[in-house]
């Protein structure tokens, strides 16, 4: 008997901003939805995020951005690609102006969540990305 | 609900894992965590690559300062040039089944060091149990070449003791406190501790906690001469020297109890031969049986605990009524019985057998007897054999019991029939 | 009831009973209401709830202990609140241009908002260029501060620095003053982010050093300013961060008062006289849209602080008992959806702060929720304050809600709730111990979750988000200004040149002295920071030196 799919999600912040109320609420919400969440404080270096995602073999990386830190998410996407981890899904939540959302999606971000998104929506998205990702798992 | 795929019972060791490639290590651990593999499969496959790492288990009640201690240990171990892997066990919510795995974050900047590998593990229902998953994950890390593996687990009931058994050296952390903290250490944990550490030793109350713990140890049975005496140490995050001393004592413990104590404690692995080997052996057994050959019975299929044999009813098999002699059918079923029960490699002696005859068989019928193992304990096993005609008609049902001896089946290798 | 009764014929007791009957009949299913702090709210308040004859003495008069009605006799009628808008963007030159505009439009005080890279203790050449100057101004040296404050007379305009320990930006400002020949004794303003405990629990962005180091430097800072900057408020105890992180208004006030007690005790332990440092303690709060709750919160706080300073901290000078505070309208209540609605929200929040008796106010721009506020939004924010003061005449009457049955009852109840939470903290050994143990963080997290649940369930309406939502034309949302990349690159290049060409010996000496001071409890670390600023050290160099000596601040991640 296999386990039901339990997503492993990294919830983190890169860049300089330290406002983490949102990311903590999301981390708790995903836990309450039955997922395993690696939660980090803000100001993670991009290289650290990649290393953590690799060691923990996470299904989804959730970036919380309330100031302008989303502007360096494309750099994260590049770093993941270089590490051979393009199969890890990345979602961004927080304050992302419309003009930047398109840039993020172009860079490979799976979805951008704006303030007012419900916890249920976020959990469902993470679940779906996990199921799709595991099905696609390439033998390493 | 995910579709249930059968558990993998065979696992190939990826060479990249032995070379320490991080992605491969992480993926192997995921296979264990996701429950894709039958329990024990990984440990068995990695058998010959184990025993190099020193596995330290660290536990203690919440608030004992374990994460701070592990953080300090990582710093000191890196300074000593070691490569370290950490398995951080965090409790899953009993309500939602989810977990927030926050331990690795408390290990601070060391988590970013190239010589440190941290994997967080939630306690939710693991196939085979949490401690068996932890054991397999530790084996993966051992085989991957880490010098030190730290298992950090939270004081959480019986599973805490079981997880600590996965370690070579077991460290129990205790916060300073007047007597309360000593009460808080569950008896089971104290029994298996190799080192006791009072954390935050710069705070008041630490000295009396150290004394209380030493008293508790004296009250237990004296260790046998030459056996390890459990020390009680104090550490303070402020003082690096304390942590160095702790690691030195852990090294002493390693030397004293011998390396890889955790492996010696394991039952010898059941060396189950590959299914293909079993078939070859059974076919050889059938070929070496004069009575079976004399009746024209051949073995067509075999595996652990199963065998299928076949016979075409000929003139020499008929009784005076012109139908197949009951003894021939009995022999057909009994042959399947014998091959199946001996397929595990130990001589199995039949002690009881019953047959019922449902339909008569005639000359020219192709009969097949298929044996399946109903139950097997250390000494006894029961088999059920169905005899059918080529068109599926049920001819006969047979049940037999064997006594399993300790003698190995020895059959000269023969060409298969 | 068939015939309406002439209620003027009823006795007060009967009239009340009559009202209760009419209310019950008319309301149908009544809802049970609690404010954000959990205090139950009735449909009406009368003298049964608060009786002026009995309680008037508790109330006092403005400028008299316990200061419920205001800390000064004249309050806003005598001197209006400081209009202190937080501003910051881009390079020092860009900041200076925006600053002059804000001053010309009626702001009479400055609050400088530095870039997030500065908050984190990094110089511009250690940071991702994409993130420089997007949310605040990049200032790494004394020269940058001088440029930023061009044309501003530091002896006349009050300037708050939003800089946490080790207060490098104030050091750069003092060095600038010295260059200009301005007497330090004339400089006024506040170290707005000196409250390291609030940073540790709730806005760790500002948290650069490990807890013990931050604690030590704060006391050094207060000591230095008390002696050399008589008009400067070195201590701003911050309630904003905990409330924004999810603490209820009562919890946030309780945490703030406990922090103030903790810091005061640390100063006393250093040998400082309470009547020397307490008059320079100020407070900084978030004002949410829970209108009456906020007013009551501030009035209760004045009463509590007046008692604590006298009875617990031993202050004898009435100036030590006064609860002075700056308030900022809460960005957490603002929405991204239908952003112009934020103008009405900010107006209500500002009114609550004014009627609550603040000394200084920052109003958010309506586009605060989208990113760094635009010039357009900043202008409206200032105009809002002007409208409230000069069109609505909110400065004409001191404490206009005093004596209201509701407001006085609520003030008492908020006081009760605040004191209850304060006791939890004091029982845990005081604020420092409670924070170290993670107790405060857990309480904040719990309240944040509860509020989130209320919003998600619709119990708390957020217009445009969980109610009254509509399809919006995203092109109607303002495009965010980003700092000019070429200008920023040029600033970085100049900065590198500066570092390469400045005289290295005084820089090295100053950093060595700073490092030594960190290990010597008899030395004053902040004094060495000021010397380092004058010697040409950069912000990053100063922060790195202290982090090396005193430990990097790692906050607990409590979910």
């Amino acid at each position: 008997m296999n386990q039901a799919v339990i997503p492993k999600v990294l919830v983190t912040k890169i860049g300089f901003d330290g406002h983490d109320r949102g990311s903590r609420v999301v981390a708790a919400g995903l836990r309450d939805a039955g997922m395993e969440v690696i939660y980090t404080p803000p100001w993670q270096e991009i290289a650290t995020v990649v290393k953590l995602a690799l060691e923990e073999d996470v299904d989804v990386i959730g970036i919380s951005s309330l100031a302008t830190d989303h502007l360096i998410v494309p750099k994260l996407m590049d770093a993941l690609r270089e590490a051979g981890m393009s199969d890890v899904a990345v979602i961004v939540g927080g304050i992302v102006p419309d003009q930047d959302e398109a840039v993020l999606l172009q860079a490979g971000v799976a979805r951008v969540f704006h303030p007012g998104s419900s916890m249920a929506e976020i959990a469902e998205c993470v679940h779906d990305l996990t199921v799709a990702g595991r099905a696609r798992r390439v033998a390493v | 609900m995910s579709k249930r795929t059968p558990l993998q019972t065979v696992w190939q060791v990826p060479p990249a894992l032995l070379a320490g490639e991080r992605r491969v290590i992480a993926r192997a651990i995921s296979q264990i965590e996701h429950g894709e593999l039958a329990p024990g499969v990984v440990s068995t496959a990695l058998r010959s690559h184990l025993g190099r790492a020193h596995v330290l288990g660290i536990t203690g009640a919440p608030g004992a300062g374990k994460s701070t201690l592990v953080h300090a240990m990582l710093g000191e171990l890196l300074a000593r040039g070691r490569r370290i892997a950490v398995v951080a066990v965090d409790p899953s919510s009993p309500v939602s089944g989810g977990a927030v795995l926050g331990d690795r974050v408390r290990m601070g900047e060391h988590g970013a060091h190239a010589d440190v590998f941290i994997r967080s593990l939630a306690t939710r229902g693991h196939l085979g149990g949490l401690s068996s998953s932890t054991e397999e994950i530790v084996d993966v890390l051992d085989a991957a070449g880490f010098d030190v593996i730290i298992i950090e687990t939270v004081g959480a009931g019986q599973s805490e003791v079981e997880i600590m058994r996965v370690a070579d050296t077991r460290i129990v952390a205790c916060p300073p406190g007047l007597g309360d903290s000593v009460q808080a250490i569950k008896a089971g944990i104290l029994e298996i501790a190799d080192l006791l550490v009072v954390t935050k030793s710069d705070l008041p109350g630490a000295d009396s906690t150290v004394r209380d713990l030493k008293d508790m140890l004296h009250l237990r049975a004296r260790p046998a001469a030459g056996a390890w005496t459990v020390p009680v140490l104090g550490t303070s995050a402020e003082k690096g020297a304390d942590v160095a001393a702790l690691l030195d004592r852990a090294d002493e413990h390693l030397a004293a109890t011998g390396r890889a104590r955790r492996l010696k404690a394991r039952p010898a692995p059941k060396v189950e031969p590959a299914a293909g080997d079993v078939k070859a052996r059974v076919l050889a057994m059938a070929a070496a049986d004069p009575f079976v050959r004399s009746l024209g019975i051949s073995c067509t299929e075999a595996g652990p605990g199963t065998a299928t044999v076949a016979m075409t009813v000929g003139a020499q098999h008929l009784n005076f009524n012109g139908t197949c002699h009951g003894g021939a059918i009995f022999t057909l079923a009994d042959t399947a019985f014998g091959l199946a029960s001996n397929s595990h490699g130990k001589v199995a002696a039949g002690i009881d057998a019953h047959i019922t005859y449902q339909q008569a068989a005639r000359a020219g019928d192709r009969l097949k007897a298929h044996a399946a193992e109903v139950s097997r304990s250390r000494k006894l096993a029961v088999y059920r054999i169905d005899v059918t005609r080529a068109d599926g008609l049920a001819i006969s049902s047979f049940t037999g019991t064997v006594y399993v001896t300790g003698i190995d089946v020895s059959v000269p290798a023969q060409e298969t029939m | 009831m068939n015939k309406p009764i002439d209620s003027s014929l009823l006795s007060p007791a009967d009239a009340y009973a009559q009202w209760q009957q009419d209310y019950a009949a008319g309301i149908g299913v009544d809802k049970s209401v609690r404010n954000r702090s959990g205090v139950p709210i009735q449909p009406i308040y009368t003298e049964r709830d608060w009786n002026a004859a009995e309680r008037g003495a508790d109330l006092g008069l403005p400028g008299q202990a316990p200061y419920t009605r205001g800390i000064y006799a004249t309050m806003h009628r005598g001197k209006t609140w400081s209009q202190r808008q937080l501003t910051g963007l881009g390079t020092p030159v860009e900041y200076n241009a925006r600053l002059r505009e804000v001053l010309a439009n009626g702001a009479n005080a400055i609050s400088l908002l530095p870039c997030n890279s500065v908050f984190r203790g990094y110089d511009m050449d250690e940071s991702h260029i994409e993130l420089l100057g997007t949310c605040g101004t990049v200032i790494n040296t004394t020269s940058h501060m001088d440029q930023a404050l061009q044309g501003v007379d530091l002896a006349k305009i009050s300037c708050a620095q939003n800089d946490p320990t080790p207060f490098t930006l104030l050091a750069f400002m003092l060095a600038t003053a010295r260059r200009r020949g301005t007497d330090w004794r004339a400089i006024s303003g506040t170290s707005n982010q000196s409250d390291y405990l609030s940073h540790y629990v709730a806005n760790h962005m500002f948290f650069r050093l490990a807890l013990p180091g931050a604690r030590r430097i704060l006391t050094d800072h207060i000591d230095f300013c008390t002696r050399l900057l008589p008009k400067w408020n070195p201590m701003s105890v911050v309630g904003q961060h905990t409330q924004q992180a999810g603490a209820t208004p009562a919890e946030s006030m309780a945490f703030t008062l406990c922090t103030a007690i903790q810091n005061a005790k640390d100063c006393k332990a250093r040998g400082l006289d309470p009547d020397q440092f307490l008059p320079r303690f100020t407070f900084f709060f978030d004002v949410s849209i829970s209108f009456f709750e906020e007013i009551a919160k501030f009035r209760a706080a004045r009463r509590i602080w007046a008692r604590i300073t006298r009875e617990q901290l031993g202050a004898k000078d009435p100036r030590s008992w006064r609860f002075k505070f700056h308030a900022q309208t809460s960005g957490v209540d603002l929405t991204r959806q239908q952003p112009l609605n934020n103008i009405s929200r900010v107006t209500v929040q500002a009114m609550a702060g004014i009627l609550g008796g603040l000394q200084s106010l920052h109003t958010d721009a309506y586009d605060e929720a989208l990113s760094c506020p635009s010039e357009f939004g900043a202008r409206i924010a200032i105009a809002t304050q002007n409208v409230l003061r000069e069109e609505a005449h909110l400065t004409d009457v001191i404490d206009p809600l005093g004596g209201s049955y509701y407001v006085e009852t609520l003030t008492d109840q908020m006081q009760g709730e605040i004191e209850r939470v304060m006791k939890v903290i004091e029982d845990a050994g005081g604020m420092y111990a409670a924070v170290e143990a993670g107790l405060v963080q857990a309480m904040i997290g719990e309240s944040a979750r509860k509020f989130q649940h209320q919003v998600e369930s619709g119990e708390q309406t957020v217009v445009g988000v969980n109610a009254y939502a509509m399809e919006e034309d995203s092109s109607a949302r303002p495009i965010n200004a980003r700092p000019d990349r070429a200008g920023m690159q040029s600033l970085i290049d100049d900065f590198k040149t500066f570092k390469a060409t400045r005289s290295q010996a005084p820089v090295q000496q100053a950093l060595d002295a700073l490092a030594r001071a960190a290990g010597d409890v008899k030395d004053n670390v902040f004094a060495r920071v000021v010397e380092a600023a004058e010697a040409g050290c950069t912000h990053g160099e100063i922060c790195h030196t202290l982090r090396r000596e005193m430990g990097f601040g790692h906050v607990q991640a409590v979910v």
Side-chain angles (χ1 to χ4, degrees):
Chain A
M1 187 211 74
N2 299 119
Q3 313 272 12
V5 169
I6 300 183
K8 200 160 187 194
V9 193
L10 169 60
V11 175
T12 186
K13 290 174 72 72
I14 54 181
F16 290 130
D17 179 45
H19 292 92
D20 64 349
R21 175 179 181 176
S23 67
R24 282 200 259 168
V25 166
V26 168
L30 292 176
R31 173 201 57 208
D32 294 342
M35 304 186 186
E36 287 171 9
V37 183
I38 313 266
Y39 174 77
T40 79
W43 317 300
Q44 298 302 312
E45 293 293 338
I46 286 175
T48 310
V49 170
V50 173
K51 180 176 196 275
L52 194 159
L54 187 151
E55 288 174 5
E56 301 284 358
D57 199 17
V58 303
D59 299 294
V60 179
I61 298 173
I63 301 289
S64 158
S65 173
L66 296 171
T68 49
D69 298 310
H70 66 275
L71 294 174
I72 56 169
V73 166
K75 282 181 167 172
L76 171 66
M77 304 308 292
D78 287 339
L80 287 168
R81 213 172 355 261
E82 269 161 57
M85 291 175 64
S86 304
D87 55 340
V88 180
V90 176
I91 60 175
V92 175
I95 296 181
V96 178
D98 298 317
Q99 77 250 34
D100 296 335
E101 181 169 349
V103 172
L104 292 182
L105 296 173
Q106 183 84 330
V109 169
R111 190 151 158 202
V112 174
F113 286 95
H114 299 286
S117 304
S118 78
M119 202 55 242
E121 253 184 278
I122 298 170
E124 195 186 324
C125 174
V126 169
H127 178 87
D128 292 345
L129 288 170
T130 300
V131 168
R134 299 238 184 132
R136 264 195 328 259
R137 267 205 171 181
V138 181
V140 171
Chain B
M1 248 334 221
S2 62
K3 76 177 194 315
R4 290 167 186 208
T5 50
L7 295 179
Q8 257 177 265
T9 51
V10 171
W11 186 74
Q12 301 291 355
V13 180
L17 189 149
L18 301 176
E21 219 199 273
R22 301 308 175 86
R23 193 108 209 264
V24 177
I25 296 170
R27 279 288 162 89
I29 295 175
S30 295
Q31 283 190 287
I32 296 165
E33 272 206 283
H34 295 170
E36 293 165 25
L37 305 163
V41 162
V42 169
S43 291
T44 305
L46 290 174
R47 233 171 23 255
S48 54
H49 304 285
L50 302 179
R52 195 177 156 278
H54 184 186
V55 182
L56 305 174
I58 301 183
T59 190
K66 291 184 299 296
S67 298
T68 311
L69 184 60
V70 172
H71 175 261
M73 287 166 69
L74 285 175
E76 180 60 31
L77 286 166
L78 285 170
R80 295 181 185 196
R82 304 285 158 75
R83 274 171 307 169
I84 312 119
V86 181
V87 179
V89 183
D90 252 325
S92 301
S93 158
V95 174
S96 71
V100 171
L101 307 172
D103 271 349
R104 78 171 290 149
V105 148
R106 290 178 216 124
M107 291 167 209
E109 71 284 11
H110 298 314
H113 197 290
D115 288 335
V116 174
F117 181 105
I118 303 178
R119 181 71 177 230
S120 310
L121 190 63
T123 55
R124 44 91 171 170
H126 285 261
L127 197 63
L130 173 64
S131 57
S132 107
S133 289
T134 308
E135 186 171 76
E136 294 210 272
I137 290 170
V138 168
D139 285 348
V140 167
L141 296 165
D142 188 356
F146 287 98
D147 304 306
V148 178
I149 301 170
I150 298 176
I151 308 171
E152 188 199 333
T153 182
V154 69
Q158 188 51 33
S159 65
E160 176 194 11
V161 175
E162 291 309 311
I163 291 171
M164 287 295 271
R165 287 194 194 285
V166 174
D168 298 317
T169 302
R170 301 155 195 163
I171 302 170
V172 177
C174 188
L178 309 158
D180 301 353
S181 39
V182 171
Q183 272 14 305
I185 302 181
K186 291 187 273 298
I189 275 295
L190 206 57
E191 297 307 309
I192 65 167
D194 299 310
L195 290 154
L196 289 173
V197 178
V198 176
T199 56
K200 310 177 206 179
S201 62
D202 49 302
L203 290 183
D207 288 340
S208 62
T209 306
V210 170
R211 271 197 306 278
D212 288 344
L213 288 170
K214 285 183 173 164
D215 288 344
M216 273 185 82
L217 289 170
H218 281 138
L219 288 172
R220 283 164 53 196
R222 309 231 116 206
W228 174 258
T229 321
V230 179
V232 181
L233 307 167
T235 60
S236 162
E238 325 283 305
K239 299 194 207 123
D242 292 348
V243 175
L246 168 62
L247 290 172
D248 292 340
R249 297 306 287 272
D251 284 342
E252 280 171 40
H253 176 259
L254 182 68
T257 64
R259 269 211 169 261
R261 172 174 114 185
R262 70 192 186 90
L263 298 176
K264 291 174 190 156
R266 287 190 201 177
K270 289 189 288 265
V271 183
E272 296 280 5
D277 297 340
V278 171
K279 180 171 172 179
R281 187 196 309 138
V282 169
L283 291 175
M285 280 155 48
D289 188 319
F291 187 49
V292 161
R293 294 177 67 172
S294 74
L295 287 178
I297 295 172
S298 60
C299 179
T300 58
E301 205 35 76
T306 80
T308 307
V309 298
M311 172 180 93
T312 305
V313 179
Q316 72 276 35
H317 298 124
L318 300 178
N319 59 24
F320 53 82
N321 283 325
T323 59
C324 186
H325 199 292
I329 294 174
F330 188 99
T331 304
L332 184 67
D334 184 72
T335 303
F337 173 47
L339 292 174
S341 58
N342 280 267
S343 68
H344 298 296
K346 295 291 184 197
V347 171
I351 51 177
D352 188 81
H354 293 266
I355 193 165
T356 56
Y357 299 102
Q358 283 128 351
Q359 288 284 346
R362 289 172 206 291
D365 285 347
R366 181 81 179 147
L367 299 182
K368 193 178 78 170
H370 172 75
E373 194 171 85
V374 171
S375 72
R376 184 164 144 237
S377 67
R378 219 162 41 89
K379 288 292 181 194
L380 296 176
V382 174
Y383 294 81
R384 187 192 157 85
I385 294 87
D386 292 303
V387 183
T388 52
R389 202 170 65 184
D391 62 350
L393 182 69
I395 298 296
S396 175
S397 293
F398 178 111
T399 315
T401 307
V402 295
Y403 172 79
V404 181
T405 68
I407 306 163
D408 289 333
V409 172
S410 71
V411 162
Q414 302 258 350
E415 324 124 43
T416 51
M417 294 215 289
Chain C
M1 280 309 302
N2 296 335
K3 226 167 53 168
I5 284 185
D6 182 354
S7 47
S8 65
L9 300 176
L10 294 173
S11 71
D14 289 341
Y16 187 76
Q18 183 60 51
W19 172 79
Q20 280 180 309
Q21 242 185 326
D22 293 341
Y23 179 79
I27 195 77
V29 178
D30 202 356
K31 51 184 177 154
S32 127
V33 179
R34 284 181 184 268
N35 69 12
R36 290 184 183 191
S37 300
V39 174
I41 305 298
Q42 295 160 200
I44 195 167
Y45 291 75
T46 66
E47 72 269 3
R48 288 154 183 266
D49 301 294
W50 189 84
N51 189 312
E54 292 163 14
R55 303 292 315 285
D58 246 352
L59 202 49
L61 286 162
Q64 295 177 12
Y67 305 108
T68 319
R69 307 199 70 182
I71 57 172
Y72 302 124
T74 54
M75 284 304 287
H76 304 142
R77 188 166 162 137
K79 180 178 165 205
T80 183
W81 65 84
S82 299
Q83 216 155 278
R84 191 185 292 272
Q85 293 298 95
L86 190 58
T87 340
L89 188 74
T91 63
V93 165
E94 286 166 337
Y95 171 78
N96 188 253
R98 174 77 77 93
L99 178 63
R100 300 222 214 184
E101 207 191 290
V102 158
L103 288 172
N105 280 328
N108 53 21
I110 297 172
S111 186
L112 194 159
L113 181 63
C115 173
N116 286 347
S117 61
V118 174
F119 277 137
R120 292 301 299 152
Y122 297 114
D123 280 336
M124 63 184 88
D125 57 354
E126 303 172 289
S127 310
H128 298 276
I129 191 176
E130 293 90 342
L131 303 182
L132 289 174
T134 55
C135 303
T137 305
V138 180
I139 296 188
N140 292 160
T141 65
T142 299
S143 300
H144 292 147
M145 182 61 79
D146 200 351
Q147 277 179 333
L149 297 177
Q150 263 310 303
V152 175
D153 185 351
L154 293 175
K156 299 225 172 67
I157 305 259
S158 168
C159 183
Q161 289 291 351
N162 290 282
D163 190 35
T165 195
F167 314 109
T168 24
L169 297 189
L170 174 59
F172 292 144
M173 195 168 97
L174 293 176
T176 299
R178 183 133 32 221
R179 274 190 201 176
R180 295 179 185 181
T182 309
D183 190 345
W184 282 5
R185 287 171 302 185
I187 295 176
S188 67
T190 306
S191 297
N192 262 356
Q193 297 295 348
S194 44
D195 181 358
Y196 69 97
L197 284 171
S198 71
H199 301 154
Y200 189 79
V201 302
N203 199 342
H204 349 298
M205 176 146 87
F206 299 160
F207 197 73
R208 298 172 179 148
L209 298 174
L211 264 183
R215 184 181 192 179
R216 151 97 189 271
I217 297 183
L218 174 60
T219 319
D220 284 353
H221 181 69
I222 295 173
D223 185 4
F224 181 98
C225 296
T226 308
R227 282 183 284 115
L228 299 172
L229 305 175
K231 289 188 169 180
W232 188 265
N233 299 314
M235 179 77 256
S236 167
V237 195
V238 181
Q240 181 197 42
H241 304 318
T242 48
Q243 189 159 311
Q244 289 207 339
T248 68
E251 282 173 338
S252 175
M253 181 57 76
F255 297 148
T256 312
L257 291 170
C258 287
T259 301
I261 294 171
Q262 179 73 64
N263 294 335
K265 286 184 171 165
D266 287 350
C267 289
K268 280 179 77 173
R270 181 68 74 89
L272 302 179
D273 173 14
D275 286 318
Q276 286 277 284
F277 61 80
L278 283 176
R280 290 273 150 219
F281 267 35
T282 60
F283 294 84
F284 178 173
F285 292 101
D286 212 37
V287 191
S288 76
I289 200 169
S290 184
F291 186 75
F292 290 105
E293 183 174 7
E294 292 288 342
I295 294 168
K297 167 182 112 182
F298 294 126
R299 299 173 92 251
R302 280 195 286 273
R303 271 212 294 253
I304 300 173
W305 185 243
R307 193 192 72 237
I308 288 174
T309 46
R310 278 170 107 156
E311 293 172 17
Q312 254 190 287
L313 302 175
K316 301 188 185 50
D317 186 340
R319 284 173 298 182
S320 300
W321 310 333
R322 289 196 209 127
F323 184 79
K324 284 188 302 188
F325 70 99
H326 167 82
Q328 176 166 346
T329 58
S330 179
V332 174
D333 291 334
L334 305 186
T335 64
R336 168 183 178 266
Q337 293 82 347
Q338 301 170 44
L340 292 177
N341 290 341
N342 291 330
I343 297 174
S344 30
R345 293 190 177 102
V346 168
T347 307
V348 172
Q349 293 166 334
M351 282 178 64
I354 293 164
L355 297 176
L358 47 65
Q359 278 58 59
S360 162
L361 173 64
H362 163 93
T363 34
D364 281 358
Y366 76 93
D367 51 0
E368 196 92 18
L370 295 163
S371 186
C372 241
S374 58
E375 275 178 52
F376 179 66
R379 264 181 249 142
I380 296 177
I382 299 171
T384 303
Q385 295 194 38
N386 296 336
V387 163
L388 289 176
R389 185 178 46 247
E390 293 166 49
E391 291 183 25
H393 294 279
L394 289 190
T395 49
D396 286 357
V397 177
I398 303 165
D399 189 37
L401 296 178
S404 144
Y405 301 121
Y406 176 32
V407 171
E408 295 302 348
T409 306
L410 191 57
T411 302
D412 288 345
Q413 290 171 314
M414 288 296 283
Q415 178 170 350
E417 181 57 19
I418 293 167
E419 286 172 342
R420 183 191 69 75
V421 176
M422 287 179 77
K423 182 159 195 314
V424 171
I425 302 296
E426 295 305 326
D427 286 348
M431 193 63 176
Y432 189 88
V435 164
E436 258 193 325
L439 173 62
V440 177
Q441 296 89 317
M443 289 169 75
I444 294 173
E446 191 45 43
S447 295
R449 260 193 298 284
K450 279 196 193 139
F451 191 80
Q452 174 73 10
H453 182 74
Q454 284 174 332
V455 169
E456 288 209 359
S457 69
E459 208 182 305
Q460 171 63 56
T461 301
V462 183
V463 173
V465 177
N466 67 2
Y468 314 107
M470 60 200 320
E471 281 299 309
E472 289 179 76
D473 180 7
S474 60
S475 65
R477 286 202 270 270
I479 306 280
N480 302 99
R482 292 275 147 76
D484 169 43
R485 183 63 68 88
M488 192 56 74
Q489 187 58 57
S490 155
L491 184 72
I492 295 174
D493 295 336
D494 289 346
F495 178 67
K496 288 182 177 165
T497 308
F498 164 77
K499 284 207 292 191
T501 56
R502 69 188 165 171
S503 157
Q504 302 300 340
V507 167
Q508 199 51 58
Q509 272 163 25
L511 292 177
D512 290 341
L514 182 60
R516 275 195 306 273
D520 178 6
V521 293
K522 294 202 187 52
D523 202 346
N524 189 304
V525 171
F526 181 63
R528 303 288 89 78
V529 170
V530 175
E531 282 163 15
E534 296 193 281
C537 300
T538 70
H539 172 71
E541 285 165 345
I542 294 170
C543 290
H544 293 327
T545 302
L546 287 173
R547 276 169 158 162
R548 204 184 56 230
E549 299 301 318
M550 297 178 124
F552 209 113
H554 289 293
V555 296
Q556 285 184 12
V558 176
V559 173

